[in-house]
Amino acid sequence: MTAPQVVADVPDLRQAVRQARRKGLTVGFVPTMGALHEGHAQLIRACAAETGFAVVSIFVNPTQFGPNEDFQRYPRTPEPDHALCDGAGASLIFEPSVSTMYPSGGLSTVVDVPAISGLLEGASRPGHFQGVATVVLKLLNQVQPDFAFFGEKDYQQLQVIRTMVRDLDLNVAIRGVPTVREPSGLAMSSRNRYLSDEERQAAAVLSQALAEADDAVRAGERSADRVRQILRSRIESERLARVDYAEIADSATLQPLDQIKPGAAVALLAVRVGPARLIDNRLLPS
Ligand code: AMP
């Protein structure tokens, strides 16, 4: 295996993808913001296993960050990222600059998926999903993959992308990849780098709360409010954690539920632990 080629411009990307297609290879795509970890590696491995030419993009997209969010200090680690892509089987790394993606400072077009985008992450982070949907559509048009891979860790994002692809007839199959976790249960995230050792231990409370919610539903609980309360009180038992939201929602539309529909409900959390805002989710049992 040769190390993946690294390109920064769209014409170079298109030429490399054209060459792969000429060889008869199917093209897969994994969009990322870098600071890569084992969760990303799992996406890249899934992509390389299903396709002959796995493209990974590394782009910290400014339009999906709010004005008081962590765009400036978001970790940027190009060298270890390239090594991880290589080890996981990537064929090509696309690493555009902000001016390549947003010439003359911005775009005149945006993509909005309003029904899903205003809830949960979208309510806490106005404009976030418009930034995500717009950059993902742009990347999909640049790469033109057969398959694109997204983590279930960002559950709402995955539903926004699936909705956009269906609504706009995009010619790509979307694959969701299960969340990769630390041994403590903490979902891997680039933002875990912001945590001290003590905060990292405290952050395991998200997956513990989700496991308790799962147990309650397995034992027959059907009141969404009671399960929300289970989530909330477990998080609040951790001194270093602050709940942003603790929701029980329809697993396709993400609308809040009154009654838990077996097999069609998801528990979603956003929690502040020290300097980091962490998210996690779990599909509730049928
Ligand atoms: P990001 O670099 O955070 O934008 O994430 C890029 C992709 O990796 C997204 O599709 C994420 O959902 C996915 N991802 C991030 N963390 C994990 C994880 N712990 N397990 C699985 N996928 C993940």
Side-chain angles (χ1 to χ4, degrees):
M1 282 288 288
T2 48
Q5 189 189 345
V6 182
V7 296
D9 295 322
V10 178
D12 293 340
L13 166 72
R14 291 214 159 115
Q15 195 191 352
V17 171
R18 230 179 357 253
Q19 264 175 18
R21 290 216 181 269
R22 244 184 258 126
K23 292 184 199 152
L25 301 174
T26 54
V27 176
F29 178 43
V30 180
T32 83
M33 298 206 299
L36 302 182
H37 51 67
E38 185 54 31
H40 298 108
Q42 196 63 23
L43 262 67
I44 299 167
R45 282 195 285 265
C47 180
E50 192 164 357
T51 67
F53 193 75
V55 179
V56 178
S57 66
I58 299 177
F59 179 61
V60 185
N61 174 37
T63 68
Q64 69 189 71
F65 289 79
N68 299 315
E69 292 184 358
D70 55 348
F71 174 68
Q72 293 300 342
R73 71 189 175 107
Y74 196 84
R76 288 157 171 92
T77 57
E79 278 149 27
D81 286 356
H82 292 184
L84 184 143
C85 289
D86 188 9
S91 301
L92 182 77
I93 299 171
F94 177 46
E95 217 166 22
S97 65
V98 172
S99 62
T100 292
M101 294 300 279
Y102 301 109
S104 55
L107 306 178
S108 306
T109 307
V110 292
V111 182
D112 202 6
V113 188
I116 298 190
S117 297
L119 305 158
L120 301 163
E121 283 302 281
S124 297
R125 308 179 66 189
H128 171 67
F129 285 122
Q130 194 178 83
V132 169
T134 305
V135 81
V136 169
L137 179 58
K138 212 170 147 68
L139 287 164
L140 289 172
N141 281 332
Q142 290 165 338
V143 179
Q144 300 197 2
D146 303 292
F147 299 89
F149 295 76
F150 293 84
E152 289 174 359
K153 148 129 191 320
D154 297 280
Y155 187 85
Q156 189 177 7
Q157 169 174 283
L158 177 57
Q159 296 311 318
V160 167
I161 303 297
R162 285 192 194 285
T163 306
M164 173 182 79
V165 165
R166 196 177 54 234
D167 285 354
L168 300 182
D169 301 304
L170 302 187
N171 194 18
V172 59
I174 302 299
R175 297 279 193 257
V177 177
T179 302
V180 178
R181 297 177 180 280
E182 305 276 0
S184 70
L186 173 63
M188 290 193 184
S189 163
S190 306
R191 290 189 168 97
N192 292 352
R193 290 166 202 243
Y194 300 152
L195 301 171
S196 67
D197 288 348
E198 192 192 12
E199 289 161 349
R200 186 177 278 261
Q201 277 177 19
V205 76
L206 279 84
S207 64
Q208 291 160 1
L210 292 167
E212 275 188 30
D214 189 277
D215 287 346
V217 173
R218 217 173 275 282
E221 182 60 78
R222 290 292 173 264
S223 157
D225 265 346
R226 277 202 289 276
V227 181
R228 285 184 190 100
Q229 198 46 52
I230 289 169
L231 290 171
R232 205 166 263 281
S233 41
R234 185 72 184 85
I235 305 281
E236 283 166 358
S237 73
E238 171 50 63
R239 182 178 56 86
L240 297 176
R242 295 274 172 284
V243 178
D244 184 345
Y245 60 76
E247 192 52 277
I248 305 296
D250 181 286
S251 55
T253 65
L254 292 174
Q255 293 295 327
L257 292 174
D258 293 331
Q259 283 292 110
I260 292 171
K261 298 182 280 185
V266 61
L268 303 122
L269 290 175
V271 176
R272 285 189 186 280
V273 180
R277 183 175 176 284
L278 305 175
I279 59 171
D280 201 352
N281 68 85
R282 183 163 174 150
L283 284 166
L284 294 172
S286 26

